[in-house]
Amino acid sequence: MTRLPLLFLILTTLLCSAALAQPPQVGDTLPAFTMAPPALEKDARTLGLPVNHPFTLADLGTPYALIEIIGVYCSVCHQQAPDLTRLYKRLKKTRLDKRITLFGIAAGATPMEVEFIRKKEYPFPIIHDTKFEIYAALAEPKTPFTLIVDRQGKVLYTHLGIIPDFNDFFKTIQEMVQ
């Protein structure tokens, strides 16, 4: 009889701790994960990666990564896409793209869906997460979810939802990566 209450207590504790899991916060280190090869060869080249090879954050050629977690069918993500496009171009123009790599991870998207949205509205690389593995490793944040991390996965910045002021965000990026 004493084993049953103990088992119940253990299971309850595990379930509660899983329910309290939250998306990464500043100061956390991301769990190790491997990303699928980019669906587009040009995205692999942009990221400085071999074509058709999975990769990790440590494989990127810059010390920092700005990761945008999106849903292909997320209307808020599509609403923010033009601002991210302008940010991507601004990073390139100011050569900050040599210090920080901007890419998206499309939760649940297939390679075909990524190809479609890349051609339609995202000029920067988007990685497909067809089986929601990365999304699950990040505690399934609502989208869009923005992170800045270093190559070891240490989280330096997070934002859930639309970033209200991209000029301020750009200044934050400048300060972080210099």
Side-chain angles (χ1 to χ4, degrees):
M1 284 293 221
T2 61
R3 288 187 179 186
L4 189 57
L6 179 59
L7 180 60
F8 178 76
L9 179 63
I10 291 170
L11 287 174
T12 303
T13 302
L14 288 173
L15 290 173
C16 288
S17 65
L20 295 176
Q22 61 181 354
Q25 302 296 310
V26 172
D28 291 348
T29 298
L30 297 181
F33 56 82
T34 300
M35 291 169 267
L40 301 173
E41 286 185 18
K42 70 180 180 178
D43 285 355
R45 287 191 297 274
T46 298
L47 293 170
L49 303 168
V51 175
N52 294 324
H53 285 84
F55 69 101
T56 67
L57 289 171
D59 296 323
L60 297 173
T62 59
Y64 303 97
L66 192 167
I67 305 169
E68 186 71 11
I69 308 296
I70 63 168
V72 173
Y73 303 103
C74 166
S75 62
V76 179
C77 298
H78 294 288
Q79 187 179 346
Q80 182 163 266
D83 289 325
L84 286 168
T85 296
R86 284 188 287 279
L87 176 65
Y88 179 70
K89 290 176 180 176
R90 193 170 178 187
L91 291 171
K92 290 180 92 42
K93 183 178 178 182
T94 60
R95 302 189 47 84
L96 279 177
D97 64 330
K98 306 298 181 213
R99 303 276 306 146
I100 188 166
T101 299
L102 168 58
F103 68 96
I105 297 176
T110 65
M112 186 174 73
E113 289 170 318
V114 166
E115 287 182 42
F116 178 77
I117 64 170
R118 275 283 282 114
K119 290 174 186 173
K120 187 176 178 202
E121 61 189 325
Y122 292 100
F124 51 87
I126 304 287
I127 307 304
H128 62 92
D129 182 21
T130 307
K131 296 180 181 177
F132 295 97
E133 294 167 333
I134 298 167
Y135 184 68
L138 300 177
E140 302 179 358
K142 294 188 184 310
T143 57
F145 184 64
T146 308
L147 300 120
I148 296 178
V149 299
D150 67 15
R151 289 174 56 134
Q152 293 73 41
K154 183 175 181 187
V155 179
L156 307 172
Y157 173 92
T158 65
H159 184 83
L160 178 61
I162 290 182
I163 295 171
D165 187 333
F166 269 83
N167 285 323
D168 282 346
F169 184 45
F170 182 77
K171 290 174 189 169
T172 299
I173 294 169
Q174 282 181 306
E175 292 169 7
M176 256 182 229
V177 304
Q178 292 298 344

